[in-house]
Amino acid sequence: RYFIDWKNDVDNYFTIDATEGTIATNQLLDRESTAQYNFSIIASKVSNPLLTSKVNVIINVLDVNEFPPEISVPYETSVCENAKPGQVIQTITAADKDLSPAGQRFSFKLSSEASNKPNFTVHDYRNNTAGIETRRNGYSRRQQELYFLPVVIEDSSYPVQSSTNTLTIRVCRCDSDGTIQSCNVEAIFLPVGLSTGALIAILLCIVILLVIVVLYVALRRQKKKDTLMTSKEDIRDNVIHYDDEGGGEEDTQAFDIGALRNPKVIEDNKIRRDIKPDTLRFPRHRPPAEDNTDIRDFINQRLQENDVDPSAPPYDSLATYAYEGNGSVAESLSSIDSLTTEADQDYDYLSDWGPRFKILADMFGEEESYNPDKVT
């Protein structure tokens, strides 16, 4: 009888016929995962099972060409804007996951859809490498920045396997020696020597300036709005914006003259002095002045009496002289209708003021009636 020593065949990939001793696969084999298997087979006598022998079996898994060749490594291919026709810009190689037998070769060619485009071509060097060559005189990043080149790679095993691999070719700016200087997309629109960091800094400054301008305008509008609201609520608004001509003293609806007075004076004296009181006090009895009374003391006495008497005119100098026109006690203060010379003045009314003003009446009355020698 034949059987496999399971201590070695852990994965149980194979089985054996106990009578015939035929070895067969028990699972699907993959050379790419396990290329060789090693286990033992034990044979024993039917009549005497204690008589046994062991033999080692090595099984090599043969390769089947099931994987197509591919580009060995990803390439970053670039071409200069000032490239010339026939210039090699990249050398490529291929790799195959299958165990390539000695002498297996790879072939490279363009796909059928790319053969009609005169941008690039593939030159097979027939040593499992190929070169990507230019077919134009100069390239422009503004017109097209990226080119996609499909390359077909075939192996020499049976059956033949092939794959199409796409190379990405980027157009870059180079100097006269062919050294690449810039391949970035934004470099197309930037002047020479201006980096991406400088562009970001410039844009950031512009954004900050715009934010400052917007905040300034918003604050100006808010301040203007607050000023208008404050002026509407101001109690002196009618005084500030009062630009109409009133009717003189009779126009008492325009504004309150009390707002212009000193608050302390108003509190001390509640009686308004800008108008004549409705009820006047009876004049106090004044002792007659003696003939020998000094004129200065007489005037001071009368001045004090009038100062403390609220019914004595003038009631208020502001009310009396601040208004002009119809109804004003001072009448018109305009100099248009004033007399031009003192000779036209008429002071005859001084004679009606009593003997105290007789001297003034003689001085300002008719010239011929005044005699200085008679004045004592």
Side-chain angles (χ1 to χ4, degrees):
R1 294 292 182 267
Y2 304 95
F3 59 92
I4 298 176
D5 187 3
W6 296 107
K7 295 181 181 179
N8 295 330
D9 189 18
V10 180
D11 295 330
N12 194 20
Y13 280 100
F14 301 93
T15 185
I16 189 171
D17 186 85
T19 304
E20 301 293 336
T22 304
I23 300 175
T25 58
N26 196 31
Q27 298 182 26
L28 183 63
L29 304 181
D30 186 7
R31 188 205 63 82
E32 282 70 32
S33 61
T34 305
Q36 187 181 79
Y37 294 90
N38 189 355
F39 56 92
S40 299
I41 295 178
I42 299 175
S44 64
K45 195 172 183 179
V46 177
S47 59
N48 189 1
L50 297 178
L51 298 176
T52 61
S53 64
K54 182 186 294 186
V55 64
N56 291 329
V57 178
I58 298 175
I59 298 178
N60 293 317
V61 182
L62 301 180
D63 182 38
V64 176
N65 191 26
E66 55 183 338
F67 295 100
E70 297 177 350
I71 293 179
S72 57
V73 293
Y75 293 97
E76 295 182 0
T77 308
S78 58
V79 61
C80 296
E81 288 184 314
N82 55 356
K84 304 298 181 180
Q87 182 177 344
V88 179
I89 60 175
Q90 186 68 60
T91 301
I92 60 175
T93 59
D96 196 342
K97 294 181 180 179
D98 296 315
L99 180 61
S100 302
Q104 183 179 8
R105 301 181 63 180
F106 301 108
S107 61
F108 303 86
K109 64 179 180 179
L110 282 179
S111 63
S112 57
E113 63 269 14
S115 301
N116 299 326
K117 299 180 180 179
N119 294 319
F120 303 94
T121 185
V122 178
H123 186 196
D124 190 355
Y125 298 141
R126 301 192 182 279
N127 59 354
N128 291 344
T129 61
I132 308 300
E133 298 180 355
T134 59
R135 297 182 61 183
R136 287 175 48 184
N137 187 9
Y139 298 84
S140 176
R141 286 183 297 171
R142 296 182 181 274
Q143 296 179 358
Q144 186 173 352
E145 183 193 5
L146 298 176
Y147 290 89
F148 301 97
L149 185 66
V151 179
V152 178
I153 305 176
E154 294 181 353
D155 58 15
S156 58
S157 300
Y158 182 83
V160 177
Q161 297 288 345
S162 65
S163 65
T164 302
N165 302 261
T166 302
L167 290 177
T168 302
I169 303 174
R170 184 183 299 273
V171 181
C172 301
R173 179 170 59 86
C174 305
D175 57 11
S176 58
D177 298 332
T179 304
I180 297 176
Q181 293 182 348
S182 176
C183 293
N184 298 331
V185 178
E186 63 271 12
I188 300 176
F189 306 98
L190 294 179
V192 178
L194 188 59
S195 62
T196 305
L199 177 63
I200 295 176
I202 293 173
L203 294 178
L204 185 61
C205 293
I206 294 175
V207 171
I208 293 175
L209 290 177
L210 290 177
V211 171
I212 293 175
V213 171
V214 171
L215 291 177
Y216 177 75
V217 173
L219 291 176
R220 287 291 300 274
R221 291 183 177 179
Q222 184 67 26
K223 184 177 180 182
K224 184 176 181 181
K225 183 178 180 181
D226 294 342
T227 304
L228 292 176
M229 293 178 62
T230 305
S231 63
K232 292 180 180 179
E233 297 174 358
D234 192 357
I235 191 172
R236 297 171 299 175
D237 179 71
N238 53 354
V239 177
I240 297 175
H241 297 280
Y242 187 78
D243 54 358
D244 298 330
E245 183 178 357
E249 289 181 342
E250 295 180 351
D251 187 4
T252 59
Q253 300 300 327
F255 59 89
D256 186 7
I257 192 66
L260 302 177
R261 298 183 180 279
N262 190 343
K264 295 183 179 179
V265 176
I266 297 176
E267 292 178 0
D268 295 341
N269 188 6
K270 300 297 182 179
I271 301 176
R272 293 184 58 178
R273 299 179 60 85
D274 57 340
I275 58 175
K276 185 177 181 180
D278 295 336
T279 58
L280 299 177
R281 296 182 182 179
F282 292 100
R284 292 178 297 177
H285 180 70
R286 300 170 182 170
E290 299 179 357
D291 295 338
N292 58 354
T293 301
D294 188 80
I295 188 63
R296 178 181 299 175
D297 296 338
F298 173 77
I299 293 176
N300 291 333
Q301 179 182 358
R302 291 293 184 268
L303 180 61
Q304 293 178 1
E305 292 176 357
N306 284 273
D307 286 342
V308 298
D309 189 0
S311 61
Y315 309 107
D316 196 317
S317 60
L318 177 63
T320 302
Y321 299 103
Y323 301 103
E324 172 186 4
N326 187 17
S328 175
V329 176
E331 297 183 352
S332 177
L333 300 179
S334 175
S335 60
I336 297 177
D337 297 331
S338 301
L339 298 178
T340 57
T341 61
E342 294 184 358
D344 297 334
Q345 300 284 346
D346 185 9
Y347 298 100
D348 293 338
Y349 60 88
L350 296 176
S351 302
D352 301 334
W353 286 11
R356 298 180 184 278
F357 299 90
K358 184 176 184 303
I359 297 177
L360 293 176
D362 295 337
M363 293 174 62
F364 292 93
E366 295 180 0
E367 295 181 0
E368 59 275 6
S369 62
Y370 173 68
N371 189 359
D373 298 335
K374 298 180 180 181
V375 177
T376 57

